[in-house]
Amino acid sequence: MSGMLDQIDPLTEEALQALQAAGNLSDLDAARVKYLGVNGQFTALLKQMGSLPKDQRPEAGKRINIAKNKLEGLLAKQKEVLELAACLPTEPTDFTLPGRRPQLGKLHPLTQVTEDIVRSFRKIGFVVADGPEVEDEYHCFDALNTPADHPARDSQDTFYINTPNRPLLRTHTSSVQIRVMENQPPPIRIIVPGRVYRRDTADATHNPTFHQIEGLYVDRNVTLGDMKGTVEFVFKELLGKDVKLRFRPHYFSYTEPSLEIDFSSALTRKMGKEWLEIAGCGMVHPKVFENVGYNPEEWTGWAFGFGIERIAMIRYGINDIRLFYENDLRFLNQF
Ligand code: DAH
């Protein structure tokens, strides 16, 4: 039986080499089964222990244990190495390929339309001006020659803030006309995109907050003809060359004469109408010039205001204003 002791080292060596040589996990497992499995060669050697003479058993047990630890250690290490290798791509990786493109965000359709409007006006020398959304009655109404009993000031359709000087959420961007003129002398050529607020119940065409663009042009000898040309240029850029405009007499307290602008194109016909009302405008009222300290005998000007949602609805054929505020991706992804 001393033959058994002699077998330990060569068999261990053979098993170590087989484990080491395994190039993948299934080769490794085959080697494990061959030597360490229930019917493996190494296991068989263990089983022979019982038949050794008593005095040889401690020596044999010690050597077999050392050998077994070595084999199991190598097996575990090889398993780890080969498992990791199995996760790596088999094909070489081309790191110069372009990366995956994440879906980038987009600008909200109202922002896109606003930017287009601003871009058109910039081409003809207008600059963007800004003013506060929480306004005082003076800038929103009085300075614009809107008397205290005017319906526009009705608390029914205005959000007043319940503090002593009664600030309010501006009902239109016209308040910024006053703020700009108070702060700089003519000539003036501004547009004012911004948010406005009115006590409206939301429906397909109304919302308690929406957006407007105000325009103001002040210089010497400014005429209504300048305004017609300007507005026509911008609307044609925005909504197509086939745009036709119609000016109707109207009333605004801060302009005289005052007009409303109707608009017609293939887009309005698509919405089932020949003409759609799109903007208010007029020649700046002399009282307004007086209120900001401009001499109405020297300076002339025109102003206009229109709703951005309205333009976007016509441009894209949208029939419900509330879609702009719901942030439903199925809607937003279309722009
Ligand atoms: N502020 C008006 C509105 O909210 C729009 C408007 C009309 C603005 C005439 C103007 C203007 O500057 O001249 O309906």
Side-chain angles (χ1 to χ4, degrees), residues 246-250 252 258-262 277-281:
R246 184 169 81 174
F247 292 76
R248 276 183 294 105
H250 199 73
F252 297 104
S258 300
L259 308 155
E260 262 188 344
I261 307 175
D262 292 340
E277 171 204 322
I278 202 157
C281 64

Side-chain angles (χ1 to χ4, degrees), residues 77-111:
K77 202 180 115 209
Q78 279 290 81
K79 198 165 171 240
E80 205 174 298
V81 169
L82 293 174
E83 268 172 1
L84 187 66
C87 299
L88 295 176
T90 49
E91 299 280 303
T93 305
D94 180 355
F95 291 103
T96 65
L97 284 173
R100 237 180 248 159
R101 220 173 269 245
Q103 219 219 328
L104 294 176
K106 300 180 184 179
L107 294 176
H108 191 280
L110 289 178
T111 308

Side-chain angles (χ1 to χ4, degrees), residues 104-119:
L104 294 176
K106 300 180 184 179
L107 294 176
H108 191 280
L110 289 178
T111 308
Q112 291 186 33
V113 170
T114 306
E115 288 190 350
D116 287 347
I117 298 171
V118 168
R119 196 174 304 120

Side-chain angles (χ1 to χ4, degrees), residues 12-29:
T12 307
E13 198 49 42
E14 188 188 317
L16 284 172
Q17 271 175 25
L19 293 174
Q20 190 70 57
N24 56 49
L25 285 169
S26 69
D27 284 359
L28 186 69
D29 202 52

Side-chain angles (χ1 to χ4, degrees), residues 176-187:
V176 185
Q177 289 187 26
I178 303 299
R179 293 202 169 264
V180 170
M181 288 193 283
E182 278 174 346
N183 283 306
Q184 66 185 78

Side-chain angles (χ1 to χ4, degrees), residues 204-216:
T205 52
H206 296 85
N207 199 62
T209 168
F210 60 100
H211 300 80
Q212 288 188 325
I213 289 219
E214 191 79 15
L216 175 68

Side-chain angles (χ1 to χ4, degrees), residues 171-172 174 177 198 212 214-215 252 254-255 280-282 303-305:
T171 55
H172 52 186
S174 305
Q177 289 187 26
R198 289 181 196 176
Q212 288 188 325
E214 191 79 15
F252 297 104
Y254 30 96
T255 42
C281 64
F304 65 82

